[in-house]
Amino acid sequence: IDEEDYEYNSRAIISWSESFKVNDDIHLFWGDQQRLQWYQIKEEDLIAASELVIPVANSIMKAQGTGAEIPVRYAVARQGNPNLTLSPIQQVTVRSKENLPGGPEGIEGPTFKLNPAGFISQSVAPDGTDGYVVPYANITENQKLFFTFKGFDRENNPIDSATYTASRELDDQDILNGYSFRVPYNILRTICRGFCEAYIRVDPAPDSNQSSVTSKITRVPVEMRESNEAVCSIN
């Protein structure tokens, strides 16, 4: 059950069994939640002899909450027989926007140190610049960050040679302090006068019920000329 479907009713599909009889009651067990007499076999079901598609109320999922392995099964009860026939357990993953990295509001793009005019420049990036990722909602150890930095000229044309990528698996200090990705000086000098865009993608930790999330895009101007340069030159 993904983030978009978490707010809605769902459906369960039960394969038809020749042992079903009219008036058999099907009970649903969704984690700790129970819906007794969830569905009753009808005459038309026997005639159709096809899989049953039964609604699962959103209230059941909300009551149980999200999880990576929620045990779900059903049982068949027959009048006059005190014994239930149980299906195998199926592990269901349930996700919600509240549990995503960044929560419902998402993740802000990386931040950079800028000069008073609002640029990445020689004065603030003499040896490169740091794209700082602020700790976000639902940050956890072992999530993996993928950082992308792209350069553009003054006419907004992408500069392929001014693209930089890096990754980081978060540790216990990162989730408290955030993490900075170092963009090399030569990448900035390649842009010279123009713009940059940066963002991160967060992949969930192993065995998590989270989904991957891409942050908002940070876009800032770049001016890397020395005071005595008409154009940038890369040594």
Side-chain angles (χ1 to χ4, degrees):
I1 310 295
D2 65 20
E3 298 81 15
E4 299 302 324
D5 291 334
Y6 184 69
E7 301 299 326
Y8 301 96
N9 294 333
S10 187
R11 294 182 302 165
I13 299 175
I14 296 177
S15 299
W16 181 256
S17 171
E18 294 299 327
S19 64
F20 287 154
K21 295 185 180 298
V22 175
N23 296 329
D24 281 353
D25 285 320
I26 298 180
H27 308 317
L28 173 66
F29 302 93
W30 185 283
D32 299 325
Q33 309 305 309
Q34 299 182 18
R35 287 297 182 272
L36 302 181
Q37 296 182 317
W38 177 45
Y39 185 81
Q40 190 172 71
I41 301 295
K42 303 176 180 60
E43 183 70 37
E44 50 264 38
D45 295 326
L46 262 67
I47 295 172
S50 60
E51 62 187 18
L52 303 172
V53 181
I54 309 174
V56 179
N58 181 255
S59 58
I60 298 175
M61 293 188 293
K62 287 290 186 69
Q64 182 64 35
T66 60
E69 294 185 342
I70 295 175
V72 175
R73 74 191 317 175
Y74 68 91
V76 180
R78 182 163 295 164
Q79 293 180 1
N81 185 345
N83 298 316
L84 297 177
T85 301
L86 296 171
S87 76
I89 291 176
Q90 179 177 347
Q91 304 291 347
V92 177
T93 299
V94 179
R95 300 169 175 153
S96 74
K97 291 181 178 179
E98 285 75 13
N99 295 122
L100 286 175
E105 302 303 318
I107 300 173
E108 296 297 323
T111 59
F112 298 91
K113 187 176 181 180
L114 306 178
N115 68 12
F119 289 75
I120 296 175
S121 67
Q122 287 282 353
S123 63
V124 295
D127 300 308
T129 186
D130 290 327
Y132 174 59
V133 179
V134 178
Y136 46 82
N138 303 321
I139 189 172
T140 65
E141 289 185 56
N142 303 126
Q143 288 176 340
K144 194 165 187 179
L145 306 189
F146 294 88
F147 174 80
T148 299
F149 180 97
K150 296 181 177 181
F152 299 83
D153 64 21
R154 297 181 70 189
E155 284 69 48
N156 209 37
N157 299 307
I159 304 171
D160 292 338
S161 57
T163 295
Y164 177 76
T165 60
S167 63
R168 168 75 173 182
E169 186 169 300
L170 299 180
D171 61 25
D172 59 340
Q173 293 303 304
D174 298 331
I175 65 175
L176 296 175
N177 304 319
Y179 185 77
S180 291
F181 290 94
R182 187 70 167 177
V183 179
Y185 177 76
N186 69 302
I187 295 289
L188 301 176
R189 286 285 283 181
T190 299
I191 298 172
C192 188
R193 303 180 68 196
F195 304 88
C196 71
E197 290 184 354
Y199 60 89
I200 61 165
R201 187 183 84 244
V202 180
D203 278 4
D207 302 322
S208 168
N209 67 311
Q210 295 177 326
S211 298
S212 297
V213 172
T214 299
S215 76
K216 300 171 186 177
I217 294 175
T218 299
R219 180 177 170 86
V220 294
V222 175
E223 172 55 272
M224 289 299 293
R225 292 180 301 173
E226 299 278 6
S227 59
N228 60 346
E229 285 184 312
V231 296
C232 291
S233 59
I234 302 174
N235 298 323

